[in-house]
Amino acid sequence: MTNSLTQTATRAVGIDLEEGMDLLRRMILIRRFEERAAQLRASGLIPGFLHPCSGQEAVAVGVCAALGENDVLTSTHRGHGHLIGRGADPARMYAELFARSTGYNAGKGGSLHMIDAELGFLGANGIVGGGIPLATGAALQLKRTGSGAVAVTFFGDGASNEGAFHESLNLAALWKLPVLFVCENNLYGEFTRQNEHMLLENVADRASAYGLPGVVVDGNDVLAVRQVAAEAADRARNGMGPTLIEAKTYRHKGHFEGDMARYRPKEEVESWMKRDPLVLFPNVLRDELGATEESLEALRQEVEERLSRDIEWAKEQEHPSPEDALQHVYVDSYNGRALR
Amino acid sequence: MSKFTFADGIRQAITEEMERDPAVFIIGEDVGASGGVFGVTKGLWERFGSDRLWDSPISEEAIVGAAVGASLVGGRPIAEIMFSDFSMLAMDMIVNQAAKTHYMTGGKLSSPMVVRMVTGTNGSTGAQHSQSLESWFTHVPGLKVLAPSTPEDAKGLMKSAIRDPDPVMFFEHKGLYVGRGGPAGEVVEIDPIPFGSGRIHREGTDVTIVTYLKTREYAMQAAEALAEEGISCEVFDPRTLVPFDYEGLRSSLEKTGRLLVAHEAPARGGFGAEIAAWAAEHCYDVLRSPVQRVGGRNTPVPYAPVLEQFVLPMTNQIAESVRTLLGKPTIQNQNINI
Ligand SMILES: Cc1ncc(C[n+]2csc(CCOP(=O)(O)OP(=O)(O)O)c2C)c(N)n1
């Protein structure tokens, strides 16, 4: 039943230059969004945690590129890339990080809980593995209503040790739910290397225990990820059920902003840095689709200017008033007063 | 003897709501063709089929998680946790996910779903199948907590629970399903009951007994016995713990001036403590004596009938607590808070 294969499309299959530039734009946007967020945090503008996904951009962008408008997603504590990959507005993301009332969650979420309900983005999640059952349930409802849409859940290698992962895979396989389980395997769960938290080499091999296909893909290759996700989404839309996709990738930075990540061997970091998706993909665009150095530079410039505008806008947004803390505990008329 | 059982009330509410709204569906262990361990979903499989009843593997976290996830995209799921003891395995989905969705998304998403949980003991069900955990959930902002004690209330409250836009924890005492006798199934028309509206089961002037779930029956028996001694008890069932009918409680206390809270859950940290504290804070002006509580002893629920009956608050203990409140104890008062 398991169909473990390694996809490595280092070639520009099935895209034209414009599409390729679009994927790259999104990847650069993610990288620079977070790098600038790190600076803003250092200058005191952002309270709380930030878990950067530098190095993993190709997974977010590749998967999102394979999805349609009505599809829904759940994310992790490391969710900025998934949101931007899905097309969320960085200005409102910054506003949320700055804890302003026009931020995505009205200042009630922050980085760990960011959502964009209109994009079907059901939220980052502070609980490791927490989004997996939610996407499974969303897929159940999508199937029930015959919507033709699929649900996607991102999670890490560490999360695949949680019960929520195993229960959800079994349930989704049993009921042939239209859901893509996307493991971003960046080799670490917090400070613990994969070989210290599981004996298997591939998270994808866990799929066979539940009777669904498991696929390993090069997570630093945006086109390979896109292709694998598109195939899985097709399967799901055709009533053939879920797929477990394991995208092998690496986080360039520490577990959270401020973690120096000294627990990682230097050679390991260096070898992965050479496979930075933001170097690999521009090379493909240049070598195979004729992108010019100027056009790539212009793209970087465009992203930079956009983020500057977004940050300026976000800085001007209002802070919530203290009483807003009483809002949104419940949906109905109890809002505005603590329910006794 | 009524033909309309507690299980009928819940089943009829679910049936009527499933007919009204196609978004309503059920997910849980053995909820399908077999009709559930307590027969609550009996007949629904034949009527609504497999798209409305998802008979799931034994995976509490996935069951509740799927319900929460479905609710985020337009579903109106009813998740069944066979025994409330097993809700521990789904606690992340209830407490960290469902209860927080609306708040942490700044009102952009919500999780309208019902978790049905069988609670309490019905005779030797033992320590892992008999707990009363309702107060745990009342401690979590974002959840509503329901604890009906009659078939009619079960039906009316279940209808409201399914229509409610928030996550609702619905407690069904296993000792209320049974013991009513007669052929079940008679359809009784009940309107949805608004949350936060308590019900006075018996009017009285000397003491207000606040009680819910199965303990209400013992309180009623105690009230009857006490009436023969010339003591007049008002029995007040809040029906919903969150939100709670504090106005109703206050008016009752204005009449009686004395409060006893009785429930099956251990007294320590039980919901009775919350009610007692509220009364002390807000009704001190009308209280004529200190508030009393009678709850389960602070032990797991034991198996042997003789032990079980010793730790649960039953008719005699409730009656004795009322006498103590009125300064007329008949036996040596037992300290229930070991
Ligand atoms: C249930 C739970 N346990 C522990 C944590 C603390 N924690 C936050 S992130 C993390 C590591 C997760 O590793 P992985 O799933 O591989 O994701 P990654 O951080 O590599 O993206 C841990 C242990 C948590 N947030 N939730």
Side-chain angles (χ1 to χ4, degrees), chain A residues 56 77-78 126-128 156-159 162 186 188-190 251 255:
Chain A
Q56 305 181 187
H77 55 288
R78 206 178 295 290
I127 306 294
V128 167
D157 46 299
E162 289 281 4
N186 59 17
Y188 288 84
E190 236 171 61
R251 65 167 148 79
H255 171 55

Side-chain angles (χ1 to χ4, degrees), chain A residues 22-317:
Chain A
D22 228 47
L23 296 179
L24 181 63
R25 178 182 294 110
R26 228 157 246 200
M27 285 163 63
I28 299 175
L29 197 54
I30 295 171
R31 175 74 55 91
R32 291 298 298 149
F33 174 89
E34 287 197 332
E35 284 173 350
R36 298 190 68 166
Q39 290 163 355
L40 292 160
R41 186 170 178 279
S43 67
L45 255 169
I46 298 174
F49 305 110
L50 289 182
H51 299 85
C53 68
S54 291
Q56 305 181 187
E57 294 88 349
V59 186
V61 172
V63 170
C64 289
L67 300 179
E69 231 178 46
N70 298 326
D71 297 333
V72 304
L73 303 91
T74 72
S75 175
T76 66
H77 55 288
R78 206 178 295 290
H80 304 145
H82 307 142
L83 264 160
I84 294 176
R86 182 61 176 170
D89 179 0
R92 295 185 60 203
M93 292 173 68
Y94 279 124
E96 184 60 30
L97 292 181
F98 296 165
R100 308 301 164 99
S101 50
T102 47
Y104 267 119
N105 305 41
K108 292 241 178 75
S111 169
L112 268 182
H113 306 297
M114 227 183 270
I115 55 131
D116 187 340
E118 277 160 31
L119 292 178
F121 194 93
L122 305 177
N125 210 305
I127 306 294
V128 167
I132 305 174
L134 304 184
T136 305
L140 171 58
Q141 178 66 8
L142 297 174
K143 179 185 171 113
R144 285 195 59 239
T145 53
S147 68
V150 304
V152 176
T153 178
F154 293 100
F155 55 90
D157 46 299
S160 78
N161 295 321
E162 289 281 4
F165 166 86
H166 296 272
E167 289 190 15
S168 298
L169 258 67
N170 185 51
L171 196 85
L174 190 65
W175 293 346
K176 291 207 171 0
L177 299 183
V179 50
L180 275 53
F181 297 101
V182 181
C183 177
E184 289 181 302
N185 185 350
N186 59 17
L187 276 188
Y188 288 84
E190 236 171 61
F191 314 145
T192 306
R193 206 168 185 284
Q194 185 193 332
N195 59 337
E196 289 166 23
H197 71 67
M198 60 188 280
L199 284 181
L200 291 176
E201 194 181 320
N202 295 325
V203 173
D205 291 346
R206 295 188 154 169
S208 65
Y210 305 104
L212 66 149
V215 184
V216 178
V217 65
D218 178 355
N220 283 17
D221 182 337
V222 65
L223 296 182
V225 173
R226 190 182 71 152
Q227 186 184 321
V228 164
E231 282 165 17
D234 269 355
R235 268 179 52 84
R237 287 187 222 284
N238 290 327
M240 293 164 74
T243 303
L244 171 60
I245 298 171
E246 177 183 10
K248 305 266 195 195
T249 183
Y250 200 69
R251 65 167 148 79
H252 288 177
K253 305 183 83 178
H255 171 55
F256 45 78
E257 210 49 72
D259 167 22
M260 301 309 288
R262 298 220 167 81
Y263 44 86
R264 301 187 305 187
K266 205 164 144 254
E267 312 75 58
E268 179 186 285
V269 179
E270 279 166 5
S271 77
W272 277 96
M273 283 305 203
K274 287 192 200 120
R275 304 207 62 249
D276 183 347
L278 289 196
V279 174
L280 294 186
F281 194 52
N283 286 345
V284 172
L285 294 180
R286 201 185 308 103
D287 301 348
E288 295 188 41
L289 294 175
T292 61
E293 208 43 69
E294 296 76 59
S295 65
L296 293 171
E297 192 42 45
L299 195 62
R300 291 186 195 104
Q301 206 49 46
E302 175 202 318
V303 165
E304 223 54 60
E305 281 161 21
R306 170 176 187 177
L307 290 177
S308 296
R309 280 196 305 274
D310 289 344
I311 291 168
E312 282 321 303
W313 178 84
K315 277 182 181 164
E316 285 160 17
Q317 300 304 299

Side-chain angles (χ1 to χ4, degrees), chain B residues 144-211:
Chain B
K144 291 173 180 166
V145 181
L146 275 48
S149 72
T150 71
E152 295 77 18
D153 288 353
K155 179 164 182 180
L157 288 173
M158 179 54 86
K159 294 186 74 138
S160 300
I162 294 170
R163 296 180 192 189
D164 198 82
D166 292 308
V168 177
M169 305 294 111
F170 195 96
F171 285 89
E172 301 168 19
H173 196 289
K174 58 176 82 71
L176 292 173
Y177 291 137
V178 294
R180 287 230 159 194
E186 181 188 315
V187 174
V188 175
E189 295 284 336
I190 307 277
D191 289 333
I193 296 171
F195 296 169
S197 60
R199 172 170 170 184
I200 293 171
H201 282 272
R202 181 191 173 101
E203 306 233 7
T205 52
D206 293 328
V207 57
T208 300
I209 307 177
V210 176
T211 185

Side-chain angles (χ1 to χ4, degrees), chain B residues 4-305:
Chain B
F4 177 61
T5 69
F6 199 86
D8 288 335
I10 298 162
R11 186 186 317 105
Q12 288 174 20
I14 291 174
T15 307
E16 288 164 25
E17 292 305 302
M18 283 176 83
E19 260 157 18
R20 188 185 60 79
D21 181 358
V24 178
F25 70 94
I26 299 178
I27 178 168
E29 292 156 22
D30 294 323
V31 296
S34 70
V37 177
F38 295 94
V40 172
T41 51
K42 219 179 215 103
L44 297 184
W45 179 265
E46 292 75 10
R47 189 157 178 166
F48 294 105
S50 60
D51 176 51
R52 305 294 294 280
L53 285 99
W54 292 82
D55 204 331
S56 77
I58 305 159
S59 305
E60 284 75 11
E61 182 167 14
I63 291 167
V64 180
V68 182
S71 76
L72 299 178
V73 292
R76 287 283 181 157
I78 304 167
E80 177 176 316
I81 295 289
M82 196 181 281
F83 289 79
S84 70
D85 312 66
F86 313 155
S87 67
M88 305 303 95
L89 289 97
M91 222 52 169
D92 177 51
M93 291 296 138
I94 298 172
V95 177
N96 287 326
Q97 311 294 340
K100 310 287 191 278
T101 303
H102 194 61
Y103 195 76
M104 71 187 183
T105 64
K108 302 284 180 0
L109 288 173
S110 63
S111 188
M113 57 144 196
V114 182
V115 180
R116 290 184 44 229
M117 289 188 267
V118 175
T119 190
T121 182
N122 186 38
S124 292
T125 40
Q128 293 174 334
H129 287 73
S130 305
Q131 295 172 85
S132 299
L133 300 173
E134 64 277 359
S135 80
W136 290 24
F137 296 94
T138 67
H139 199 64
V140 181
L143 299 176
K144 291 173 180 166
V145 181
L146 275 48
S149 72
T150 71
E152 295 77 18
D153 288 353
K155 179 164 182 180
L157 288 173
M158 179 54 86
K159 294 186 74 138
S160 300
I162 294 170
R163 296 180 192 189
D164 198 82
D166 292 308
V168 177
M169 305 294 111
F170 195 96
F171 285 89
E172 301 168 19
H173 196 289
K174 58 176 82 71
L176 292 173
Y177 291 137
V178 294
R180 287 230 159 194
E186 181 188 315
V187 174
V188 175
E189 295 284 336
I190 307 277
D191 289 333
I193 296 171
F195 296 169
S197 60
R199 172 170 170 184
I200 293 171
H201 282 272
R202 181 191 173 101
E203 306 233 7
T205 52
D206 293 328
V207 57
T208 300
I209 307 177
V210 176
T211 185
Y212 52 86
L213 292 170
K214 172 85 171 170
T215 312
R216 185 197 62 87
E217 290 182 2
Y218 302 131
M220 291 296 282
Q221 288 165 13
E224 248 157 68
L226 290 163
E228 287 170 20
E229 299 168 25
I231 298 172
S232 165
C233 298
E234 177 140 311
V235 177
F236 178 83
D237 177 358
R239 305 196 283 195
T240 65
L241 305 186
V242 179
F244 191 89
D245 183 3
Y246 286 108
E247 288 76 16
L249 174 57
R250 163 108 199 161
S251 2
S252 178
L253 292 179
E254 280 168 3
K255 227 173 0 162
T256 64
R258 293 187 189 89
L259 171 60
L260 172 73
V261 195
H263 59 55
E264 184 170 326
R268 183 178 65 215
F271 196 67
E274 179 64 31
I275 300 172
W278 186 87
E281 277 177 299
H282 299 276
C283 304
Y284 193 66
D285 56 328
V286 299
L287 287 175
R288 288 188 274 163
S289 54
V291 178
Q292 288 259 331
R293 282 181 294 153
V294 47
R297 289 182 190 247
N298 299 319
T299 67
V301 180
Y303 163 71

